[in-house]
Amino acid sequence: MARILITSAIPYINGIKHLGNLIGSQLPADLYARYQRGRGNEVMFLCATDEHGTPAELAAAKAGKPVADYCAEMHGVQADIAQRFGLSFDHFGRSSSAQNKALTQHFAGKLEDAGLIREVSEKQVYSHADGRFLPDRYIEGTCPNCGYDRARGDQCENCTKQLDPTDLIEPRSAISGSTDLEVRETKHLYLRQSAMKNQLGEWISDIEERSVYNKLADNYSDPKEIPWPLLTTSIAKKWLYDGDGLQDRGITRDLDWGVPVRKGDQDWPGMEGKVFYVWFDAPIEYIACAGEWAEANGKTDADWQRWWRTDKGADDVRYVQFMGKDNVPFHTLSFPATILGSGEPWKLVDYIKSFNYLNYDGGQFSTSQGRGVFMDQALDILPADYWRWWLLSHAPESSDSEFTWENFQQSVNKDLADVLGNFVSRITKFCRSKFGEAVPQGGTYGDREQALIEELTRRVRAYEGFMEAMEVRKSAQELRAIWVAGNEYLQSAAPWSTFKEDPEQAAVQVRLGLNLIRLYAVLSAPFIPETSARMLSAMNTLDTAWPDDVAAALSALPAGHDFAVPDVLFAKITDEQREDWQDRFAGVRT
């Protein structure tokens, strides 16, 4: 039994996430976690809310609530929506936890001891009206390059030119709108990533060298040899080697809300009133989240450390991260720099599965602009499995992909309703009408049945290979092909015709068909878990054994085993529904 540690990029606290966020990290991570559990492996699947930084403060202020109260409330909202989407986290933690506070301060102290922290005096814009220093993105003004009057202090969204706040014409606070600004000197801590450039480069090169693909077997000879996606390695190398190479990064901010700057449990002179930058403490929450899991479940420190400390049992763990491409630099470079720089035996990531962007109907999903379909809205329209199937089968792996209502309708109707749902409905209803609600007995397999078993064996092995390799779209395509094989068998065997001449042979065909439902439930559980559970319930079985032997799996429900005809698994989406939803989500969420 393998041990698999899985983390997905932690969602920011300032609102409900849209479907692009979901497919970019949490949903494919859940797919992989469910698959690995289904194969009998030990899985620890962790996620959390990312709660620190200026956006959290601003969102709380907009809601008229203290920031701690706002974050606690939104964590509950996000946890509830995640549960309703079937995200099977072992623990859904919080970056504001006591565990993350202590661990972040611990890492900072270790990095300081190793000479990897430097103090930098820099100039930053201070707003008198707001009584605070402003991060670059919270300063607005007119772009000196294109004249756009809402350019931010870090970049103009209109012409994409990189900017400094002092470049802006008539700068103002994005928080209060005040122009009463001044440039003040302040001190911050920087992580000396540049000093670790060679070590990080060697680490990534070693991973690439270990990535050996066994093309002859069309599978991977060892899970740790799966090549990292080109998207992941190309982004990491760009940050490492382009231009002046890897740069040092600020790890502190002048904010009230966050992890106070300390060297372990000691004060940090000159850093009073400052907090660690959210991008320093957020990845550390992956580790801290395991400590939260242990506390919440009455476990010991040893129970979580066996997942994260290579000197305490984590040396045989395979650690996989899932994230959108915008998070790749921090997880391939900054977080590994923190772990390696500490000099302690923490578990490093083995594989990073990164995704491109999912766009929405000709534009971009946007949380800040309220554009697109958000997770709570999606669940108000249709059950989670409709969305899970479409998103995973259209995952933006090799390039950006686009959500359109027409494509969504077509995929649901053809894949879920016509292929899977139709198969389950036809075979159960036919059996009930001719044999009753029990698996019929009699007859023996013929050439047609043996051919189906051989085809399914090939396809199940291919499905396993794609799932192990985290090739999400190919996994979905293979699963659909497995569903299609059952439909084609049923159409070819035509038990409704066979029954007229040879009832015993029809009984064999129906018995095989009913066992296919159980097989499909097991194979489909990572993609559509709620529907899988309904299929198993209809077949009156708790047997979720993986089909290592397909022929044996197709005999799991013996003659005489009772079953029930389930309600329609997937209702087709009508043109009227599609048009209504298209109109409803054409604007922005308010």
Side-chain angles (χ1 to χ4, degrees):
M1 180 173 65
R3 298 175 61 217
I4 317 290
L5 173 62
I6 302 169
T7 62
S8 66
I10 63 178
Y12 205 71
I13 197 69
N14 64 335
I16 295 167
K17 303 297 106 174
H18 55 64
L19 297 183
N21 295 130
L22 180 62
I23 189 55
S25 57
Q26 292 176 317
L27 187 54
D30 179 71
L31 176 79
Y32 188 63
R34 287 180 177 275
Y35 169 75
Q36 291 295 347
R37 293 191 193 107
R39 298 305 306 274
N41 293 320
E42 186 181 5
V43 170
M44 176 64 75
F45 179 23
L46 302 172
C47 192
T49 41
D50 183 0
E51 301 187 9
H52 293 140
T54 303
E57 293 185 327
L58 296 181
K62 184 177 181 180
K65 297 177 181 179
V67 64
D69 293 349
Y70 172 81
C71 289
E73 178 184 322
M74 285 308 303
H75 175 268
V77 170
Q78 291 199 18
D80 173 67
I81 294 174
Q83 188 274 330
R84 289 193 284 140
F85 252 102
L87 302 179
S88 58
F89 305 126
D90 288 285
H91 191 73
F92 187 63
R94 304 181 60 187
S95 70
S96 61
S97 68
Q99 289 88 345
N100 195 43
K101 175 182 176 181
L103 200 55
T104 297
Q105 293 169 340
H106 168 83
F107 271 110
K110 289 296 181 181
L111 291 166
E112 165 69 7
D113 292 343
L116 292 171
I117 300 278
R118 65 184 177 94
E119 189 174 291
V120 176
S121 292
E122 56 185 34
K123 292 182 178 181
Q124 193 171 341
V125 175
Y126 184 86
S127 168
H128 291 278
D130 298 303
R132 61 185 292 172
F133 284 98
L134 297 178
D136 292 351
R137 65 182 292 116
Y138 286 97
I139 306 164
E140 291 183 345
T142 300
C143 175
N145 185 55
C146 71
Y148 180 58
D149 64 359
R150 293 185 61 189
R152 295 190 316 225
D154 56 352
Q155 184 179 27
C156 175
E157 290 184 345
N158 186 56
C159 68
T160 72
K161 182 177 178 61
Q162 298 290 315
L163 299 169
D164 288 321
T166 53
D167 295 331
L168 294 174
I169 300 169
E170 298 180 348
R172 61 189 179 274
S173 166
I175 302 172
S176 63
S178 172
T179 59
D180 186 9
L181 311 177
E182 73 168 287
V183 177
R184 289 185 179 181
E185 189 169 279
T186 184
K187 292 182 179 180
H188 284 292
L189 301 179
Y190 274 64
L191 175 61
R192 296 182 60 228
Q193 295 185 144
S194 59
M196 299 192 67
K197 176 182 176 181
N198 292 339
Q199 188 175 0
L200 290 166
E202 289 171 3
W203 173 63
I204 291 174
S205 295
D206 286 345
I207 289 170
E208 288 187 302
E209 291 173 8
R210 292 200 312 268
S211 299
V212 179
Y213 183 64
N214 185 347
K215 292 183 179 179
L216 294 177
D218 196 27
N219 208 333
Y220 299 95
S221 57
D222 185 308
K224 289 190 176 182
E225 294 178 347
I226 300 174
W228 282 22
L230 180 61
L231 178 64
T232 302
T233 54
S234 62
I235 292 173
K237 288 182 175 179
K238 179 181 177 66
W239 279 60
L240 263 176
Y241 302 118
D242 280 11
D244 295 328
L246 187 62
Q247 300 296 300
D248 296 346
R249 182 170 67 87
I251 62 169
T252 58
R253 287 291 185 267
D254 290 295
L255 298 173
D256 295 325
W257 175 245
V259 176
V261 176
R262 291 174 66 86
K263 297 180 186 179
D265 58 0
Q266 303 295 314
D267 290 336
W268 202 311
M271 293 293 121
E272 295 81 8
K274 299 180 189 291
V275 300
F276 285 108
Y277 181 28
V278 64
W279 268 113
F280 183 69
D281 81 80
I284 295 171
E285 167 61 16
Y286 295 140
I287 305 174
C289 188
E292 296 171 52
W293 162 83
E295 181 179 286
N297 291 278
K299 305 288 186 179
T300 67
D301 285 347
D303 290 313
W304 74 262
Q305 288 172 348
R306 67 188 286 267
W307 290 98
W308 279 107
R309 296 274 303 204
T310 57
D311 60 337
K312 297 186 178 181
D315 52 328
D316 65 344
V317 167
R318 181 169 186 243
Y319 177 23
V320 182
Q321 295 176 349
F322 290 79
M323 70 196 64
K325 60 185 177 184
D326 53 331
N327 285 331
V328 168
F330 300 100
H331 291 77
T332 55
L333 302 171
S334 298
F335 186 36
T338 296
I339 291 179
L340 290 168
S342 74
E344 296 180 322
W346 297 101
K347 175 66 184 174
L348 281 164
V349 65
D350 292 300
Y351 188 88
I352 296 178
K353 176 68 175 182
S354 54
F355 292 86
N356 288 283
Y357 295 141
L358 176 68
N359 294 320
Y360 177 71
D361 236 359
Q364 288 186 330
F365 277 94
S366 173
T367 298
S368 61
Q369 296 178 21
R371 187 175 192 279
V373 183
F374 290 74
M375 290 173 67
D376 59 335
Q377 296 171 325
L379 293 174
D380 287 341
I381 293 174
L382 289 168
D385 282 355
Y386 289 74
W387 301 103
R388 288 177 64 105
W389 173 256
W390 189 91
L391 290 166
L392 290 166
S393 61
H394 293 78
E397 291 177 290
S398 58
S399 63
D400 291 353
S401 59
E402 182 164 352
F403 177 91
T404 69
W405 288 104
E406 291 85 356
N407 186 281
F408 178 65
Q409 177 190 27
Q410 182 182 55
S411 181
V412 165
N413 291 354
K414 288 189 174 182
D415 298 347
L416 299 180
D418 288 346
V419 179
L420 180 61
N422 183 56
F423 175 83
V424 172
S425 178
R426 290 174 76 191
I427 195 66
T428 54
K429 288 181 178 178
F430 176 75
C431 184
R432 180 175 62 183
S433 69
K434 301 300 182 183
F435 299 100
E437 293 190 7
V439 178
Q441 60 183 344
T444 57
Y445 285 170
D447 291 343
R448 183 182 285 115
E449 288 72 36
Q450 293 297 340
L452 176 63
I453 291 171
E454 291 174 6
E455 178 185 358
L456 289 175
T457 299
R458 290 193 303 272
R459 290 200 176 279
V460 169
R461 298 292 88 85
Y463 176 63
E464 293 168 353
F466 291 136
M467 290 288 272
E468 289 289 353
M470 288 161 276
E471 296 191 46
V472 177
R473 293 178 76 148
K474 289 182 179 179
S475 298
Q477 291 165 5
E478 198 62 50
L479 179 60
R480 187 185 188 280
I482 291 170
W483 298 342
V484 168
N487 276 276
E488 291 178 342
Y489 166 78
L490 197 61
Q491 196 65 28
S492 173
W496 41 87
S497 298
T498 308
F499 184 81
K500 300 173 184 177
E501 304 294 331
D502 189 349
E504 284 211 349
Q505 187 59 30
V508 169
Q509 295 164 350
V510 171
R511 188 163 66 247
L512 181 58
L514 293 172
N515 273 280
L516 276 172
I517 295 175
R518 191 205 72 87
L519 176 71
Y520 288 173
V522 172
L523 295 175
S524 305
F527 282 88
I528 46 174
E530 192 275 334
T531 305
S532 169
R534 289 174 58 198
M535 292 164 69
L536 289 172
S537 177
M539 291 301 100
N540 191 28
T541 181
L542 298 175
D543 182 0
T544 58
W546 192 263
D548 295 316
D549 182 335
V550 171
L554 291 174
S555 299
L557 305 181
H561 180 88
D562 293 335
F563 72 92
V565 176
D567 293 334
V568 173
L569 295 183
F570 294 99
K572 284 194 172 184
I573 297 172
T574 66
D575 289 345
E576 291 76 18
Q577 286 176 310
R578 171 180 55 78
E579 290 167 1
D580 174 51
W581 298 335
Q582 202 159 4
D583 289 342
R584 195 189 311 178
F585 296 99
V588 297
R589 181 173 191 163
T590 57

